[in-house]
Amino acid sequence: MDIKNPLYKNQGIHVVLALFTAEEGKVKVFLIKRKNQPFKDKWILLGGACYNNEDVDSAMKREMLEKAGLKNIKFKMFNVYSKPDRSPVCRMIAIAYIGVIDANRVKFLKETTKTQDADWFLIDRIPNLGYDHQEILGDAIEFLKGQIFDTNILKDLFPKYFTLPSLHKAYESILNKHVDRRNFRKRLLQKNIIIDTGKIESANGKKPSKLYMFAD
Amino acid sequence: MDIKNPLYKNQGIHVVLALFTAEEGKVKVFLIKRKNQPFKDKWILLGGACYNNEDVDSAMKREMLEKAGLKNIKFKMFNVYSKPDRSPVCRMIAIAYIGVIDANRVKFLKETTKTQDADWFLIDRIPNLGYDHQEILGDAIEFLKGQIFDTNILKDLFPKYFTLPSLHKAYESILNKHVDRRNFRKRLLQKNIIIDTGKIESANGKKPSKLYMFAD
DNA sequence: ACAAAAGTGTTGCATATACACCCATGG
DNA sequence: CCATGGGTGTATATGCAACACTTTTGT
């Protein structure tokens, strides 16, 4: 049945993703440069329309696959953006998600998307974004800050096994402040967010590191 | 500009409200009986379309005013529902909110809506609801459980001044378990969620109760 | 041997829980 | 005076923050 009432016809539903990764202990977000109006040449978050035959989570999965070739991403909805004029084209609400992937998949992503204008940006060096994506990304980082010590939301920020110092650097990068190493380890172990695997990383630097994995 | 692509035309945005109150220490939710198909004669949560000239919060405010005559309600978004077939009429996503009002306003609401088929139901005695509102209401109660000790989300569940035993009963009703009286008081006072006003309720029962108010 | 990075434990403080008796009022 | 319901404090356990030295490896 076609919607006729002008009060609420021509509405659209978008999904938008703040996709994070960590490289060398620095947290980065994935952005795409627009090729067309509106916001031509501006960087924006990955996203797209939700189709009529899918729920918003499925739309987000499809968009990640189509626009970045990514499958099996861990992601979580965190807010809705709905100012009437947030898109100059038509009335469009955005369901916003956080996603995380590990650095190995980033390398793969860089190869497969090198013809596109897409890149990773340090979260403390973000350019001006198009639409209201600046606000969305800011909210995403705030949401992350509130979740990292209580959930395994960062599972998939690293490969299955990772060293504690690398995770520690990622936390400090997200929280944007110093975190005590000893308390950090205790806290995550006590809450069963990470697990000591007993394995050791064959040293590339100086003293070898123990390898951990996320629980769940 | 009209949306033409059948993949995403004729989408609609709804707002849905789980409105709570407390009467005699029992928490209740506001439901409306549908008069038309689909789900004729089923009870559902208050809700309606989001118009093109408003964001979803504004739509929620307008719906509360139009459908229940209520202004200045404290409310908070908590989830999005978007299964493609959740409405048999057309593709419709729901932005879901929690709201709370005090018992005096409930009395007013009962008078102004007595011609409508609307009523309050104890949260442990909910009838079968239309659409996916059973799931939405269940999620709303779970969300409330997680918020009541950390936020003043229940501000407005009671009139400005309330007794601690009445608040205590509401907490037990929401959490569906016994809560120690002494710890309950300490916790809420220490976290500055409620404030001792120094006033005393002129006793109707036995020993008079102190009156408290929510902070903020 | 030394430089560089990783590992580890204790103490104090704040917060949460468990638990029982006294007090004020109305009838 | 007694029944009803409201008010209160202490002791224990748990979670979080502050803090510095030792260990392992490569050069």
PDB file of all heavy atoms in Angstrom, chain B residues 181-207:
ATOM      1  N   ARG B 181      15.143  -2.444  53.002  1.00  0.00           N
ATOM      2  CA  ARG B 181      14.728  -1.051  53.203  1.00  0.00           C
ATOM      3  C   ARG B 181      15.891  -0.125  53.547  1.00  0.00           C
ATOM      4  O   ARG B 181      16.007   0.974  53.023  1.00  0.00           O
ATOM      5  CB  ARG B 181      13.694  -0.955  54.342  1.00  0.00           C
ATOM      6  CG  ARG B 181      12.369  -1.563  54.004  1.00  0.00           C
ATOM      7  CD  ARG B 181      11.178  -0.948  54.741  1.00  0.00           C
ATOM      8  NE  ARG B 181      11.382  -0.528  56.099  1.00  0.00           N
ATOM      9  CZ  ARG B 181      11.327  -1.315  57.186  1.00  0.00           C
ATOM     10  NH1 ARG B 181      11.096  -2.607  57.029  1.00  0.00           N
ATOM     11  NH2 ARG B 181      11.494  -0.811  58.390  1.00  0.00           N
ATOM     12  N   ARG B 182      16.736  -0.579  54.487  1.00  0.00           N
ATOM     13  CA  ARG B 182      17.801   0.307  54.953  1.00  0.00           C
ATOM     14  C   ARG B 182      18.818   0.587  53.859  1.00  0.00           C
ATOM     15  O   ARG B 182      19.219   1.724  53.611  1.00  0.00           O
ATOM     16  CB  ARG B 182      18.501  -0.329  56.153  1.00  0.00           C
ATOM     17  CG  ARG B 182      17.700  -0.230  57.407  1.00  0.00           C
ATOM     18  CD  ARG B 182      18.215  -1.180  58.445  1.00  0.00           C
ATOM     19  NE  ARG B 182      17.978  -2.569  58.046  1.00  0.00           N
ATOM     20  CZ  ARG B 182      18.147  -3.590  58.868  1.00  0.00           C
ATOM     21  NH1 ARG B 182      18.584  -3.389  60.087  1.00  0.00           N
ATOM     22  NH2 ARG B 182      17.896  -4.813  58.465  1.00  0.00           N
ATOM     23  N   ASN B 183      19.224  -0.483  53.153  1.00  0.00           N
ATOM     24  CA  ASN B 183      20.198  -0.305  52.078  1.00  0.00           C
ATOM     25  C   ASN B 183      19.620   0.527  50.939  1.00  0.00           C
ATOM     26  O   ASN B 183      20.315   1.337  50.329  1.00  0.00           O
ATOM     27  CB  ASN B 183      20.649  -1.659  51.554  1.00  0.00           C
ATOM     28  CG  ASN B 183      21.386  -2.442  52.611  1.00  0.00           C
ATOM     29  OD1 ASN B 183      21.945  -1.864  53.541  1.00  0.00           O
ATOM     30  ND2 ASN B 183      21.375  -3.761  52.489  1.00  0.00           N
ATOM     31  N   PHE B 184      18.341   0.334  50.701  1.00  0.00           N
ATOM     32  CA  PHE B 184      17.645   1.072  49.651  1.00  0.00           C
ATOM     33  C   PHE B 184      17.754   2.576  49.911  1.00  0.00           C
ATOM     34  O   PHE B 184      18.167   3.355  49.049  1.00  0.00           O
ATOM     35  CB  PHE B 184      16.182   0.633  49.651  1.00  0.00           C
ATOM     36  CG  PHE B 184      15.313   1.368  48.684  1.00  0.00           C
ATOM     37  CD1 PHE B 184      15.450   1.178  47.319  1.00  0.00           C
ATOM     38  CD2 PHE B 184      14.346   2.249  49.142  1.00  0.00           C
ATOM     39  CE1 PHE B 184      14.642   1.847  46.435  1.00  0.00           C
ATOM     40  CE2 PHE B 184      13.533   2.923  48.254  1.00  0.00           C
ATOM     41  CZ  PHE B 184      13.677   2.722  46.903  1.00  0.00           C
ATOM     42  N   ARG B 185      17.431   2.976  51.127  1.00  0.00           N
ATOM     43  CA  ARG B 185      17.482   4.390  51.481  1.00  0.00           C
ATOM     44  C   ARG B 185      18.897   4.940  51.350  1.00  0.00           C
ATOM     45  O   ARG B 185      19.133   5.973  50.714  1.00  0.00           O
ATOM     46  CB  ARG B 185      16.986   4.563  52.918  1.00  0.00           C
ATOM     47  CG  ARG B 185      16.953   5.990  53.425  1.00  0.00           C
ATOM     48  CD  ARG B 185      16.522   6.024  54.887  1.00  0.00           C
ATOM     49  NE  ARG B 185      15.345   5.198  55.106  1.00  0.00           N
ATOM     50  CZ  ARG B 185      14.157   5.682  55.471  1.00  0.00           C
ATOM     51  NH1 ARG B 185      14.017   6.964  55.661  1.00  0.00           N
ATOM     52  NH2 ARG B 185      13.144   4.870  55.648  1.00  0.00           N
ATOM     53  N   LYS B 186      19.831   4.206  51.937  1.00  0.00           N
ATOM     54  CA  LYS B 186      21.229   4.677  51.913  1.00  0.00           C
ATOM     55  C   LYS B 186      21.722   4.869  50.489  1.00  0.00           C
ATOM     56  O   LYS B 186      22.343   5.875  50.141  1.00  0.00           O
ATOM     57  CB  LYS B 186      22.130   3.640  52.608  1.00  0.00           C
ATOM     58  CG  LYS B 186      22.525   4.009  54.005  1.00  0.00           C
ATOM     59  CD  LYS B 186      23.458   2.960  54.599  1.00  0.00           C
ATOM     60  CE  LYS B 186      22.844   1.578  54.574  1.00  0.00           C
ATOM     61  NZ  LYS B 186      23.695   0.543  55.190  1.00  0.00           N
ATOM     62  N   ARG B 187      21.451   3.868  49.662  1.00  0.00           N
ATOM     63  CA  ARG B 187      21.948   3.872  48.292  1.00  0.00           C
ATOM     64  C   ARG B 187      21.448   5.087  47.518  1.00  0.00           C
ATOM     65  O   ARG B 187      22.233   5.801  46.880  1.00  0.00           O
ATOM     66  CB  ARG B 187      21.458   2.593  47.618  1.00  0.00           C
ATOM     67  CG  ARG B 187      22.337   2.073  46.532  1.00  0.00           C
ATOM     68  CD  ARG B 187      21.936   0.665  46.202  1.00  0.00           C
ATOM     69  NE  ARG B 187      22.332   0.291  44.866  1.00  0.00           N
ATOM     70  CZ  ARG B 187      22.037  -0.887  44.312  1.00  0.00           C
ATOM     71  NH1 ARG B 187      21.334  -1.764  45.002  1.00  0.00           N
ATOM     72  NH2 ARG B 187      22.423  -1.167  43.097  1.00  0.00           N
ATOM     73  N   LEU B 188      20.157   5.329  47.596  1.00  0.00           N
ATOM     74  CA  LEU B 188      19.594   6.433  46.821  1.00  0.00           C
ATOM     75  C   LEU B 188      20.028   7.789  47.372  1.00  0.00           C
ATOM     76  O   LEU B 188      20.224   8.737  46.614  1.00  0.00           O
ATOM     77  CB  LEU B 188      18.070   6.332  46.787  1.00  0.00           C
ATOM     78  CG  LEU B 188      17.529   5.149  46.001  1.00  0.00           C
ATOM     79  CD1 LEU B 188      16.013   5.141  46.013  1.00  0.00           C
ATOM     80  CD2 LEU B 188      18.021   5.185  44.554  1.00  0.00           C
ATOM     81  N   LEU B 189      20.189   7.872  48.710  1.00  0.00           N
ATOM     82  CA  LEU B 189      20.640   9.136  49.289  1.00  0.00           C
ATOM     83  C   LEU B 189      22.106   9.394  48.953  1.00  0.00           C
ATOM     84  O   LEU B 189      22.484  10.503  48.574  1.00  0.00           O
ATOM     85  CB  LEU B 189      20.454   9.122  50.806  1.00  0.00           C
ATOM     86  CG  LEU B 189      19.018   9.325  51.309  1.00  0.00           C
ATOM     87  CD1 LEU B 189      18.938   9.076  52.805  1.00  0.00           C
ATOM     88  CD2 LEU B 189      18.525  10.731  50.980  1.00  0.00           C
ATOM     89  N   GLN B 190      22.915   8.337  49.054  1.00  0.00           N
ATOM     90  CA  GLN B 190      24.352   8.493  48.823  1.00  0.00           C
ATOM     91  C   GLN B 190      24.635   8.902  47.382  1.00  0.00           C
ATOM     92  O   GLN B 190      25.526   9.700  47.118  1.00  0.00           O
ATOM     93  CB  GLN B 190      25.038   7.167  49.122  1.00  0.00           C
ATOM     94  CG  GLN B 190      26.290   7.306  49.934  1.00  0.00           C
ATOM     95  CD  GLN B 190      26.717   5.931  50.443  1.00  0.00           C
ATOM     96  OE1 GLN B 190      26.251   5.455  51.473  1.00  0.00           O
ATOM     97  NE2 GLN B 190      27.579   5.295  49.684  1.00  0.00           N
ATOM     98  N   LYS B 191      23.882   8.336  46.465  1.00  0.00           N
ATOM     99  CA  LYS B 191      24.079   8.648  45.047  1.00  0.00           C
ATOM    100  C   LYS B 191      23.387   9.942  44.661  1.00  0.00           C
ATOM    101  O   LYS B 191      23.347  10.294  43.481  1.00  0.00           O
ATOM    102  CB  LYS B 191      23.529   7.516  44.177  1.00  0.00           C
ATOM    103  CG  LYS B 191      24.301   6.231  44.268  1.00  0.00           C
ATOM    104  CD  LYS B 191      23.811   5.272  43.211  1.00  0.00           C
ATOM    105  CE  LYS B 191      24.593   3.980  43.253  1.00  0.00           C
ATOM    106  NZ  LYS B 191      24.163   3.048  42.202  1.00  0.00           N
ATOM    107  N   ASN B 192      22.790  10.622  45.635  1.00  0.00           N
ATOM    108  CA  ASN B 192      22.095  11.879  45.369  1.00  0.00           C
ATOM    109  C   ASN B 192      21.005  11.730  44.325  1.00  0.00           C
ATOM    110  O   ASN B 192      20.796  12.622  43.511  1.00  0.00           O
ATOM    111  CB  ASN B 192      23.085  12.961  44.927  1.00  0.00           C
ATOM    112  CG  ASN B 192      23.889  13.459  46.103  1.00  0.00           C
ATOM    113  OD1 ASN B 192      23.354  13.703  47.170  1.00  0.00           O
ATOM    114  ND2 ASN B 192      25.185  13.577  45.907  1.00  0.00           N
ATOM    115  N   ILE B 193      20.331  10.605  44.348  1.00  0.00           N
ATOM    116  CA  ILE B 193      19.190  10.452  43.450  1.00  0.00           C
ATOM    117  C   ILE B 193      17.947  11.032  44.117  1.00  0.00           C
ATOM    118  O   ILE B 193      17.137  11.671  43.474  1.00  0.00           O
ATOM    119  CB  ILE B 193      19.005   8.966  43.058  1.00  0.00           C
ATOM    120  CG1 ILE B 193      20.200   8.518  42.207  1.00  0.00           C
ATOM    121  CG2 ILE B 193      17.698   8.756  42.301  1.00  0.00           C
ATOM    122  CD1 ILE B 193      20.202   7.059  41.860  1.00  0.00           C
ATOM    123  N   ILE B 194      17.829  10.837  45.430  1.00  0.00           N
ATOM    124  CA  ILE B 194      16.723  11.462  46.156  1.00  0.00           C
ATOM    125  C   ILE B 194      17.267  12.337  47.279  1.00  0.00           C
ATOM    126  O   ILE B 194      18.410  12.180  47.710  1.00  0.00           O
ATOM    127  CB  ILE B 194      15.743  10.425  46.751  1.00  0.00           C
ATOM    128  CG1 ILE B 194      16.463   9.517  47.758  1.00  0.00           C
ATOM    129  CG2 ILE B 194      15.096   9.602  45.665  1.00  0.00           C
ATOM    130  CD1 ILE B 194      15.532   8.636  48.551  1.00  0.00           C
ATOM    131  N   ILE B 195      16.438  13.270  47.748  1.00  0.00           N
ATOM    132  CA  ILE B 195      16.826  14.237  48.769  1.00  0.00           C
ATOM    133  C   ILE B 195      15.776  14.246  49.871  1.00  0.00           C
ATOM    134  O   ILE B 195      14.577  14.258  49.585  1.00  0.00           O
ATOM    135  CB  ILE B 195      16.923  15.658  48.151  1.00  0.00           C
ATOM    136  CG1 ILE B 195      18.000  15.690  47.072  1.00  0.00           C
ATOM    137  CG2 ILE B 195      17.177  16.702  49.221  1.00  0.00           C
ATOM    138  CD1 ILE B 195      17.958  16.941  46.221  1.00  0.00           C
ATOM    139  N   ASP B 196      16.230  14.254  51.119  1.00  0.00           N
ATOM    140  CA  ASP B 196      15.346  14.371  52.280  1.00  0.00           C
ATOM    141  C   ASP B 196      14.871  15.821  52.385  1.00  0.00           C
ATOM    142  O   ASP B 196      15.675  16.731  52.509  1.00  0.00           O
ATOM    143  CB  ASP B 196      16.131  13.960  53.533  1.00  0.00           C
ATOM    144  CG  ASP B 196      15.250  13.929  54.774  1.00  0.00           C
ATOM    145  OD1 ASP B 196      14.170  14.551  54.752  1.00  0.00           O
ATOM    146  OD2 ASP B 196      15.650  13.292  55.755  1.00  0.00           O
ATOM    147  N   THR B 197      13.554  16.039  52.307  1.00  0.00           N
ATOM    148  CA  THR B 197      13.041  17.413  52.324  1.00  0.00           C
ATOM    149  C   THR B 197      12.854  17.934  53.738  1.00  0.00           C
ATOM    150  O   THR B 197      12.608  19.120  53.925  1.00  0.00           O
ATOM    151  CB  THR B 197      11.673  17.488  51.621  1.00  0.00           C
ATOM    152  OG1 THR B 197      10.732  16.713  52.374  1.00  0.00           O
ATOM    153  CG2 THR B 197      11.754  16.960  50.219  1.00  0.00           C
ATOM    154  N   GLY B 198      12.908  17.062  54.751  1.00  0.00           N
ATOM    155  CA  GLY B 198      12.641  17.483  56.111  1.00  0.00           C
ATOM    156  C   GLY B 198      11.154  17.500  56.448  1.00  0.00           C
ATOM    157  O   GLY B 198      10.772  17.524  57.606  1.00  0.00           O
ATOM    158  N   LYS B 199      10.327  17.476  55.416  1.00  0.00           N
ATOM    159  CA  LYS B 199       8.873  17.473  55.649  1.00  0.00           C
ATOM    160  C   LYS B 199       8.407  16.084  56.088  1.00  0.00           C
ATOM    161  O   LYS B 199       9.078  15.079  55.864  1.00  0.00           O
ATOM    162  CB  LYS B 199       8.131  17.859  54.368  1.00  0.00           C
ATOM    163  CG  LYS B 199       8.507  19.225  53.816  1.00  0.00           C
ATOM    164  CD  LYS B 199       7.796  19.480  52.497  1.00  0.00           C
ATOM    165  CE  LYS B 199       8.443  20.615  51.705  1.00  0.00           C
ATOM    166  NZ  LYS B 199       8.305  21.931  52.346  1.00  0.00           N
ATOM    167  N   ILE B 200       7.236  16.083  56.686  1.00  0.00           N
ATOM    168  CA  ILE B 200       6.638  14.840  57.166  1.00  0.00           C
ATOM    169  C   ILE B 200       5.237  14.713  56.579  1.00  0.00           C
ATOM    170  O   ILE B 200       4.509  15.706  56.497  1.00  0.00           O
ATOM    171  CB  ILE B 200       6.524  14.841  58.713  1.00  0.00           C
ATOM    172  CG1 ILE B 200       7.902  15.021  59.364  1.00  0.00           C
ATOM    173  CG2 ILE B 200       5.840  13.595  59.211  1.00  0.00           C
ATOM    174  CD1 ILE B 200       8.697  13.770  59.489  1.00  0.00           C
ATOM    175  N   GLU B 201       4.899  13.525  56.151  1.00  0.00           N
ATOM    176  CA  GLU B 201       3.562  13.326  55.629  1.00  0.00           C
ATOM    177  C   GLU B 201       2.591  13.195  56.797  1.00  0.00           C
ATOM    178  O   GLU B 201       2.752  12.311  57.633  1.00  0.00           O
ATOM    179  CB  GLU B 201       3.513  12.064  54.768  1.00  0.00           C
ATOM    180  CG  GLU B 201       2.186  11.899  54.043  1.00  0.00           C
ATOM    181  CD  GLU B 201       2.126  10.578  53.301  1.00  0.00           C
ATOM    182  OE1 GLU B 201       2.316   9.524  53.944  1.00  0.00           O
ATOM    183  OE2 GLU B 201       1.915  10.595  52.088  1.00  0.00           O
ATOM    184  N   SER B 202       1.583  14.075  56.835  1.00  0.00           N
ATOM    185  CA  SER B 202       0.584  13.996  57.900  1.00  0.00           C
ATOM    186  C   SER B 202      -0.062  12.608  57.825  1.00  0.00           C
ATOM    187  O   SER B 202      -0.743  12.273  56.880  1.00  0.00           O
ATOM    188  CB  SER B 202      -0.464  15.091  57.718  1.00  0.00           C
ATOM    189  OG  SER B 202      -0.753  15.244  56.340  1.00  0.00           O
ATOM    190  N   ALA B 203       0.188  11.855  58.862  1.00  0.00           N
ATOM    191  CA  ALA B 203      -0.067  10.418  58.856  1.00  0.00           C
ATOM    192  C   ALA B 203      -1.492  10.048  58.473  1.00  0.00           C
ATOM    193  O   ALA B 203      -2.442  10.543  59.048  1.00  0.00           O
ATOM    194  CB  ALA B 203       0.246   9.858  60.238  1.00  0.00           C
ATOM    195  N   ASN B 204      -1.603   9.159  57.514  1.00  0.00           N
ATOM    196  CA  ASN B 204      -2.896   8.543  57.243  1.00  0.00           C
ATOM    197  C   ASN B 204      -2.909   7.103  57.758  1.00  0.00           C
ATOM    198  O   ASN B 204      -3.912   6.599  58.201  1.00  0.00           O
ATOM    199  CB  ASN B 204      -3.205   8.585  55.755  1.00  0.00           C
ATOM    200  CG  ASN B 204      -2.075   7.989  54.933  1.00  0.00           C
ATOM    201  OD1 ASN B 204      -0.959   7.810  55.440  1.00  0.00           O
ATOM    202  ND2 ASN B 204      -2.347   7.700  53.693  1.00  0.00           N
ATOM    203  N   GLY B 205      -1.782   6.482  57.712  1.00  0.00           N
ATOM    204  CA  GLY B 205      -1.677   5.109  58.212  1.00  0.00           C
ATOM    205  C   GLY B 205      -1.284   5.110  59.672  1.00  0.00           C
ATOM    206  O   GLY B 205      -2.038   5.597  60.506  1.00  0.00           O
ATOM    207  N   LYS B 206      -0.091   4.637  59.991  1.00  0.00           N
ATOM    208  CA  LYS B 206       0.343   4.576  61.384  1.00  0.00           C
ATOM    209  C   LYS B 206       1.399   5.639  61.673  1.00  0.00           C
ATOM    210  O   LYS B 206       1.093   6.795  61.828  1.00  0.00           O
ATOM    211  CB  LYS B 206       0.850   3.159  61.695  1.00  0.00           C
ATOM    212  CG  LYS B 206      -0.097   2.082  61.283  1.00  0.00           C
ATOM    213  CD  LYS B 206      -1.362   2.065  62.157  1.00  0.00           C
ATOM    214  CE  LYS B 206      -2.512   1.328  61.469  1.00  0.00           C
ATOM    215  NZ  LYS B 206      -3.582   0.940  62.363  1.00  0.00           N
ATOM    216  N   LYS B 207       2.663   5.258  61.664  1.00  0.00           N
ATOM    217  CA  LYS B 207       3.714   6.255  61.921  1.00  0.00           C
ATOM    218  C   LYS B 207       3.889   7.152  60.702  1.00  0.00           C
ATOM    219  O   LYS B 207       3.917   6.659  59.589  1.00  0.00           O
ATOM    220  CB  LYS B 207       5.031   5.517  62.243  1.00  0.00           C
ATOM    221  CG  LYS B 207       6.205   6.439  62.396  1.00  0.00           C
ATOM    222  CD  LYS B 207       7.421   5.693  62.908  1.00  0.00           C
ATOM    223  CE  LYS B 207       8.608   6.620  63.011  1.00  0.00           C
ATOM    224  NZ  LYS B 207       9.793   5.930  63.567  1.00  0.00           N
TER     225      LYS B 207
END
